């Protein structure tokens, strides 16, 4: 401060011809002493250190460059504020001081803790730490700072396991308790919003029994303090710091000390005696040697002579220049290129206060201005405590935080960081591990939002991001993959020709058709023989033709359903089977009529000859054609995607269109089959070897058994197996008919031709 004032007094551009004077008070970082000093500052009494500059307005205070502590600053500002005396702080960071209702005359050159808290919260979030501990000074700086940090951390989704406050004068048992909390906590990251003195007390206690590795996050108050770097377990700490700077000429000013200058100042005398361990006055301390004048401050290595990384000092430097510029703007003006200042003007503090609001200048490349709350633009360096050669912890600048940049771009890290225990990997500090895609978070009862369990998504739902709070369902045509992190199109299922089941059924269908053709060829070759001519060979050939169609119609059930195939498969099946059963029914009636015609006076065969037999088959078949036509006209079968039977796949099937139409077709077939079965049973014991009634009875018994079994199997079979059941029923009943009716006759035709005679057939024994 003194250097800046002397630099201003020697300037020809800033306040030319006007000399600034000053008074220095020691607040001892104590609120009661600060209040006492504020009253002294207001009335100009009892200066501890005073240097007269022949001031024209001696005793009138224009502004105060004040305390580094937030609590003393609050006290001083409340006292001198009503007098409109502006207060410019270089190190008081409490966000509460931005309240212009309570502290209207307060300004500062260091950023508010509001920005620091926001920077620390975003820093924690940037490295993925969602589970942290927090300690803070029990002071205005610590309490307000941690409150702002907790609010910012909540916005960033960071949870705090514990928050402990303490002060350096607290009983040791309280400090021990806090140290034990840190040791036992599960959070590996600790944010410390503390003053240097408070942090030293805590670290000294922790050093007695070093805790498990902890990643320390430092506020700007202690992040750059060299004395705390002796605690080796803090290696890897990161924090925000005031921007380092160089003040030209300051080192020479500090080193320009002579014994006479030192002796004239009680402050410098104390510093000199402590730095060189000697006494300027023999009576002062009998345990120290007398200073003999050989002490050379230029060779001294101490924080006093270290000016290469000035931080707080630059804040003080800018604060003095801000006041000087405010006074300059109040009393000076430029006329014809020359700056002229009115030395006789009676300047009042309120004028300086008014001009301070509008100061806007740069000094040594550093911009100085204040917003509406008296705060500067927030800019912090990111610093990291890294072990250097010899294991000594060194302060390394690794990036910066600029609050003026757009959201999300405030951080810039340009160097590698080292972490706790010298690690190179970012430590993990979470209450619960992240929930992988395919799961969702469920909060643990009674714990913060960062503590949760990962529950797999329910059936049919997915989550495709980490830590998803909810699962969402896939669309109707989609289904989750096994990991439940993506929706895939549902597979479309139908009875395709590529499947083994389809190949087997198709092979049986073709085999049955071939069998029917072979039987027809055999019958045609032996068409003039008695066994073929018996019971109307015309009906036998028509029955074989219908059975071949029955075998082949089952092929229409295989493959992807289409509009035409759906209509074809059910109608062709219904008509061909009615044609088949009609032929069997006709043969059964022929057997009954033939034996009835043998009775005396009977002419039954006259009324049921070949024309009547053809008409019977055509009539029964035509009725089925009418039923199918009505079904196709009113509500035909159509291809449909069934998404209800199976959730995980789509069944491509033929919808019946009209259930009444479908069951009418089946019911009509069943009615004819039952009628045929009844008639065959009645004729089964009639004499003669050519009686087909027994074979028809067995065939109808198989036919009815198959289709009675088909109904529950059809209703209960899902998806493509419904179609397979229907094909199986068609093939089974068709094979039953062809084998029961034609196999015995073919055996005689091929292997027992001696029985293929009229005499054998007419033998009634």
């Amino acid at each position: 401060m003194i250097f800046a004032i002397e630099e201003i007094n020697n300037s020809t551009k800033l306040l030319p011809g006007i000399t600034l004077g000053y008074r220095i008070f020691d607040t001892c970082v104590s609120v009661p002493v600060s209040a006492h000093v504020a009253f002294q500052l207001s009335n100009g009494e009892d200066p501890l250190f005073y240097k007269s500059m022949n001031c024209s307005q001696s005793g009138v205070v224009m502004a105060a460059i004040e305390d580094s502590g937030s609590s003393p600053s609050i006290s001083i500002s409340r006292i001198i504020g009503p007098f409109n005396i502006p207060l410019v702080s270089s190190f008081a960071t409490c966000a509460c001081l931005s309240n212009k209702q309570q502290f209207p005359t307060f300004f500062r050159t260091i950023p508010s803790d509001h920005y620091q808290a926001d920077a620390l919260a975003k820093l924690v979030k940037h490295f993925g730490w969602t589970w942290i501990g927090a300690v803070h000074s029990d002071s205005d700086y610590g309490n307000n700072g941690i409150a702002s940090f907790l609010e910012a951390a909540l916005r960033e989704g960071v949870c705090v396991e514990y928050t402990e406050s303490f002060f350096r004068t607290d009983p040791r048992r309280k400090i021990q308790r806090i140290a034990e909390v840190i040791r036992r906590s599960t959070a590996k990251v600790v944010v410390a919003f503390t003053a240097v003195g408070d942090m030293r007390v805590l670290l000294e206690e922790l050093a007695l029994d070093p805790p498990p590795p902890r990643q320390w996050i430092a506020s700007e108050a202690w992040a750059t303090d060299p004395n705390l770097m002796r605690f080796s377990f803090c290696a890897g700490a990161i924090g925000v710091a005031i921007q380092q700077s160089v003040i030209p000429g300051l080192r020479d000013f500090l080193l320009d000390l002579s014994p006479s200058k030192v002796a004239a100042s009680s402050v410098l005398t104390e510093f000199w005696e402590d730095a060189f361990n000697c006494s300027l006055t023999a009576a002062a301390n009998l345990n120290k040697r007398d200073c003999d004048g050989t002490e050379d401050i230029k060779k001294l290595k101490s924080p006093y002579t270290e000016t290469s990384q000035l931080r707080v000092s630059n804040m003080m430097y800018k604060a003095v220049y801000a006041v000087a510029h405010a006074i300059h703007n109040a009393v000076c003006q430029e006329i014809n290129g020359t700056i002229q200042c009115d030395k006789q003007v009676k300047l009042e503090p309120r004028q300086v206060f008014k001009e301070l609001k509008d100061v806007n200048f740069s000094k040594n490349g550093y911009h100085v201005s204040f917003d509406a709350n008296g705060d500067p633009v927030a800019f912090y360096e990111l610093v990291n405590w890294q072990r250097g050669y010899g294991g000594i912890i060194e302060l390394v600048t690794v990036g910066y935080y600029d609050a003026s940049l757009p959201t999300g771009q405030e951080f810039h890290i340009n160097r590698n960081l080292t972490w706790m225990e010298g690690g190179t990997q970012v430590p993990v500090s979470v209450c619960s591990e992240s929930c992988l895609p395919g799961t969702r978070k469920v909060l643990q009862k009674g714990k913060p939002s960062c503590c949760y369990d990962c529950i797999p998504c329910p059936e049919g739902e997915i989550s495709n991001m980490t830590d998803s709070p909810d699962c969402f369902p896939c669309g109707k045509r989609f289904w989750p993959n096994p990991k439940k992190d993506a929706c895939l199109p549902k597979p479309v299922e139908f009875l395709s020709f590529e499947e083994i089941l389809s190949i087997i059924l198709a092979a049986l269908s073709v085999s049955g058709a071939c069998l029917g053709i072979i039987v027809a060829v055999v019958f045609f070759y032996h068409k003039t023989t008695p066994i073929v001519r018996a019971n109307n060979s015309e009906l036998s050939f028509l029955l074989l033709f219908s059975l071949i169609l029955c075998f082949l119609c089952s092929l229409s059930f295989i493959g992807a359903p289409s509009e035409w195939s759906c209509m074809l498969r059910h109608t062709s099946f219904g008509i061909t089977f009615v044609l088949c059963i009609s032929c069997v029914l006709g043969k059964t009636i022929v057997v009954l009529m033939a034996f009835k015609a043998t009775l005396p006076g009977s002419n039954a065969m006259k009324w049921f000859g070949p024309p009547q037999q053809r008409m019977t088959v055509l009539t029964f078949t035509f009725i089925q054609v009418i039923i199918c036509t009505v079904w196709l006209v009113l509500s035909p079968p159509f291809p449909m995607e069934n998404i209800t039977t199976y959730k995980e796949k789509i069944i491509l099937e033929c919808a019946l269109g009209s259930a009444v139409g479908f069951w009418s077709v089946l019911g009509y077939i069943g009615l004819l089959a039952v009628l045929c079965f009844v008639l065959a049973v009645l004729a089964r014991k009639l004499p003669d070897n050519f009686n087909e009634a027994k074979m028809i009875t067995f065939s109808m018994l198989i036919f009815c058994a198959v289709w009675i079994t088909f109904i529950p199997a059809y209703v209960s079979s899902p998806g493509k197996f419904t179609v397979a059941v229907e094909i199986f029923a068609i093939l089974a009943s068709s094979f039953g008919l062809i084998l029961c009716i034609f196999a015995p006759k073919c055996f005689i035709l091929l292997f027992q031709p001696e029985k293929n005679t009229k005499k054998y057939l007419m033998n009634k024994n």
Side-chain angles (χ1 to χ4, degrees):
M1 187 196 74
I2 297 173
F3 167 75
I5 291 175
E6 292 191 3
E7 194 175 61
I8 293 167
N9 288 339
N10 293 326
S11 173
T12 58
K13 295 182 179 180
L14 187 61
L15 293 174
I18 293 181
T19 302
L20 298 179
Y22 56 86
R23 292 180 181 176
I24 296 178
F25 299 87
D26 190 356
T27 64
C28 302
V29 201
S30 168
V31 172
V33 177
S34 298
H36 179 67
V37 166
F39 287 113
Q40 289 181 325
L41 185 66
S42 302
N43 56 35
E45 294 181 0
D46 192 21
L48 298 179
F49 183 78
Y50 175 76
K51 185 172 182 181
S52 177
M53 292 284 186
N54 192 23
C55 297
S56 58
Q57 299 183 32
S58 180
V60 179
V61 177
M62 295 296 105
I65 309 296
E66 57 83 29
D67 203 279
S68 61
S70 293
S71 296
S73 299
I74 292 172
S75 177
I76 294 173
S77 183
R78 290 189 188 279
I79 294 173
I80 68 173
F83 299 100
N84 289 315
I85 299 176
L87 203 58
V88 185
S89 175
S90 63
F91 206 49
T93 58
C94 179
C96 59
L97 288 164
S98 296
N99 187 339
K100 293 295 103 177
Q101 296 294 324
Q102 297 188 41
F103 311 102
T105 63
F106 181 82
F107 299 85
R108 53 184 156 199
T109 53
I110 188 171
S112 164
D113 280 341
H114 169 76
Y115 299 102
Q116 180 182 189
D118 190 59
L120 291 175
K122 289 180 177 178
L123 181 69
V124 169
K125 184 64 175 179
H126 176 77
F127 292 111
W129 299 320
T130 57
W131 187 239
I132 64 171
V135 294
H136 63 97
S137 296
D138 191 8
S139 62
D140 288 298
Y141 167 74
N143 293 331
N144 286 278
I146 203 67
S148 297
F149 169 77
L150 294 178
E151 183 179 347
L154 181 63
R155 290 196 303 269
E156 298 292 336
V158 177
C159 298
V160 181
E161 181 182 6
Y162 60 87
T163 303
E164 298 291 341
S165 65
F166 66 99
F167 198 68
R168 57 184 173 272
T169 58
D170 285 339
R172 190 183 173 206
R173 63 177 178 275
K174 182 176 181 180
I175 307 298
Q176 289 175 328
R177 183 187 64 79
I178 295 173
E180 195 61 29
V181 169
I182 295 174
R183 292 188 184 101
R184 293 183 177 181
S185 68
T186 58
K188 294 183 179 180
V189 176
V190 183
V191 175
F193 219 109
T194 61
V196 174
D198 300 332
M199 195 65 191
R200 184 183 66 251
V201 172
L202 178 61
L203 294 181
E204 287 174 349
E205 180 60 39
L206 287 170
L208 299 176
D209 182 15
R214 291 291 181 263
Q215 179 63 51
W216 293 92
I217 308 298
S219 65
E220 107 294 331
W222 67 276
T224 59
D225 188 86
N227 294 321
L228 297 181
M229 294 182 188
R230 61 188 172 89
F231 296 100
S232 59
F233 59 85
C234 289
I238 58 175
V240 296
I242 301 166
Q243 187 179 14
Q244 65 178 356
S245 58
V246 176
I247 301 176
L250 178 60
R251 179 175 173 81
D252 295 335
F253 174 79
L254 294 175
L255 298 180
D256 185 22
L257 285 181
S258 63
S260 59
K261 287 184 179 181
V262 172
S265 167
S266 60
V267 175
L268 292 177
T269 297
E270 183 180 354
F271 159 70
W272 192 273
E273 291 180 343
D274 182 69
F276 294 105
N277 196 26
C278 67
S279 177
L280 290 173
T281 48
N285 193 335
L286 298 177
N287 296 325
K288 292 184 179 180
R289 66 177 179 85
D290 293 337
C291 298
D292 54 11
T294 60
E295 295 81 16
D296 187 357
I297 195 171
K298 295 180 180 179
K299 296 180 180 180
L300 180 67
K301 291 185 178 180
S302 75
Y304 178 82
T305 58
E306 175 55 54
T307 60
S308 62
Q309 292 189 3
L310 298 176
R311 297 182 186 274
V312 181
S313 300
N314 192 44
M315 298 294 105
M316 175 62 73
Y317 185 72
K318 292 196 294 185
V320 174
Y321 265 89
V323 174
H325 274 271
I327 297 174
H328 178 92
N329 295 337
V331 301
C332 301
Q333 57 183 339
E334 187 174 346
I335 302 175
N336 298 327
T338 304
I339 298 176
Q340 296 183 4
C341 299
D342 187 356
K343 301 179 182 179
Q344 304 302 321
V345 67
K346 187 173 179 59
L347 189 63
E348 295 185 1
R350 66 168 56 91
Q351 293 175 268
V352 179
F353 166 55
K354 179 181 178 183
E355 295 296 337
L356 264 172
K357 296 178 181 179
D358 301 321
V359 296
N360 192 343
F361 66 95
S362 294
K363 184 64 178 175
N364 298 333
Y366 302 105
H367 183 72
V368 180
S369 64
F370 303 106
D371 62 15
N373 295 322
D375 297 325
V377 175
F379 185 93
Y380 296 100
E381 288 184 350
L382 299 181
V383 295
N384 185 209
W385 290 16
Q386 300 185 5
R387 290 188 185 275
Y389 295 105
I392 299 175
I393 297 178
E394 298 176 349
L395 188 69
V396 179
T397 301
V398 295
Y400 62 82
Y401 175 88
D402 189 349
S404 64
L405 295 178
T407 303
Q409 303 178 22
E410 302 97 334
F411 272 112
H412 181 74
I413 299 177
N414 50 28
R415 288 192 60 173
N416 292 331
L417 287 80
T418 59
W419 307 97
M420 58 184 189
E421 296 187 307
T424 56
Q425 297 294 323
V426 179
V428 177
S429 184
V430 294
C431 181
S432 301
E433 294 293 334
S434 295
C435 289
L436 298 176
T439 62
R440 64 184 180 92
K441 296 196 301 184
V442 176
L443 298 182
Q444 295 178 0
K445 188 175 181 180
K447 292 188 177 181
S449 60
C450 299
C451 301
Y452 47 80
D453 296 316
C454 298
I455 306 298
C457 289
E459 186 180 60
E461 297 185 6
I462 69 160
S463 63
N464 56 3
M465 62 181 183
T466 303
D467 289 335
S468 175
D470 294 298
C471 298
F472 55 90
C474 294
K476 291 184 178 181
R477 299 182 59 85
F478 295 87
W479 190 254
N481 61 355
K483 294 183 178 180
K484 295 186 177 181
D485 58 1
C487 288
L488 302 178
K490 289 182 179 179
V492 178
E493 183 182 271
F494 58 90
L495 195 62
S496 66
F497 282 100
E498 289 77 18
E499 296 184 47
I500 296 178
L501 178 61
S502 300
I503 294 173
I504 294 173
L505 293 175
L508 291 175
S509 176
V510 174
S511 300
C514 292
L515 180 62
I517 293 172
I518 293 172
V519 171
V521 169
V522 171
F523 265 53
F524 184 78
Y525 183 77
H526 298 88
K527 62 182 179 179
T528 59
T529 61
I531 202 166
V532 174
R533 295 180 61 188
N535 287 340
N536 196 335
S537 60
E538 184 178 337
L539 283 181
S540 297
F541 283 109
L542 187 58
L543 176 58
L544 285 172
F545 174 71
S546 63
L547 283 173
I548 293 171
L549 292 181
C550 287
F551 281 118
L552 294 178
C553 81
S554 64
L555 295 176
S556 65
F557 287 80
I558 304 175
S562 64
E563 186 175 352
W564 286 104
S565 68
C566 286
M567 291 189 292
L568 176 64
R569 62 175 58 172
H570 288 103
T571 53
S572 62
F573 151 70
I575 293 172
T576 55
F577 257 79
V578 165
L579 177 61
C580 177
I581 300 301
S582 298
C583 293
V584 176
L585 182 61
K587 292 175 76 64
T588 306
I589 295 174
V590 167
V591 173
L592 287 173
M593 293 297 108
F595 280 95
K596 192 174 182 181
T598 60
L599 298 177
S602 174
N603 57 353
M605 289 303 297
K606 178 182 177 182
W607 299 106
F608 200 74
Q612 288 79 12
Q613 295 171 20
R614 297 189 199 101
M615 185 60 63
T616 300
V617 172
L618 291 176
T619 301
F620 285 139
T621 305
F622 184 69
I623 293 173
Q624 183 74 307
V625 170
I626 293 175
I627 294 173
C628 291
T629 303
V630 173
W631 181 16
L632 294 179
V633 170
L634 296 180
S635 182
F638 58 91
M640 180 190 72
E641 292 182 344
N642 182 352
I643 60 175
T644 58
T645 302
Y646 290 103
K647 296 179 181 179
E648 71 278 6
K649 58 186 175 182
I650 298 174
I651 305 298
L652 191 59
E653 61 185 13
C654 285
L656 297 178
S658 171
V660 174
F662 175 73
W663 292 109
S664 296
V665 169
L666 285 185
Y668 184 64
I669 295 173
L671 177 64
L672 293 181
V674 170
L675 178 61
C676 185
F677 177 71
V678 171
L679 293 178
V681 170
L682 294 176
R684 75 186 188 282
K685 292 185 177 181
L686 294 176
D688 289 349
N689 292 327
F690 74 98
N691 182 9
E692 287 185 309
K694 293 180 181 179
M695 293 177 284
I696 293 174
T697 300
F698 280 116
S699 65
M700 287 296 100
L701 187 62
I702 294 173
F703 186 91
C704 292
V706 168
W707 286 101
I708 290 173
T709 308
F710 161 78
I711 294 174
Y714 179 85
V715 172
S716 61
S717 298
K720 63 183 180 182
F721 297 106
T722 303
V723 179
V725 166
E726 193 167 357
I727 295 174
F728 178 79
I730 293 172
L731 294 177
S733 55
S734 299
F735 274 111
L737 287 172
I738 197 170
L739 292 176
C740 289
I741 294 176
F742 292 100
K745 293 182 178 182
C746 288
F747 183 79
I748 293 174
L749 289 173
L750 297 176
F751 303 107
Q752 293 179 341
E754 68 278 4
K755 294 182 178 181
N756 189 11
T757 62
K758 186 175 182 180
K759 181 180 179 180
Y760 175 79
L761 295 177
M762 295 299 294
N763 184 16
K764 298 182 180 181
N765 296 320

